[in-house]
Amino acid sequence: LAAVYTSSAQAVNDFAAVNTFPSPLALLAGSNRSVEVLDCTTMQCVAVIEEAHAKPVNCVVQAASASPYTSHAKETLELFATTGCDSCLRLWDVRLCKCV
């Protein structure tokens, strides 16, 4: 084990990291309704989206992980989607940490 990261959430409900292109970012969906953006090279949290949903976030998916057989515009690599126990789907821009 090279490094350890401790989330601010009581439980991490989902984790996403794209391996199809060089990116050090990983996303953690927490039981505290937040999404944490983690830099895996430094094991530091670079951003936290507090209250991403009204209830706990249960799924996070990065846009580039949709299919390895399609090509995406570069801007789509900065997008990710979350779903929560509130039955909402939200699309986010990782550069702004805002819902788009």
Side-chain angles (χ1 to χ4, degrees):
L1 186 61
V4 176
Y5 174 75
T6 303
S7 173
S8 62
Q10 184 177 4
V12 174
N13 295 339
D14 200 13
F15 173 85
V18 176
N19 292 327
T20 57
F21 66 95
S23 172
L25 298 182
L27 302 167
L28 289 89
S31 60
N32 61 348
R33 303 181 299 164
S34 71
V35 175
E36 298 177 30
V37 181
L38 175 68
D39 184 340
C40 292
T41 57
T42 62
M43 294 307 287
Q44 299 281 327
C45 183
V46 293
V48 177
I49 302 170
E50 301 286 344
E51 299 181 13
H53 286 270
K55 293 187 177 178
V57 182
N58 59 11
C59 183
V60 60
V61 178
Q62 288 177 293
S65 63
S67 173
Y69 305 105
T70 61
S71 60
H72 302 285
K74 185 177 184 228
E75 293 77 23
T76 61
L77 301 176
E78 308 293 344
L79 299 176
F80 67 96
T82 59
T83 59
C85 297
D86 56 0
S87 301
C88 290
L89 170 80
R90 294 197 171 149
L91 184 65
W92 302 88
D93 188 326
V94 75
R95 298 167 292 186
L96 305 172
C97 289
K98 292 190 177 184
C99 190
V100 292

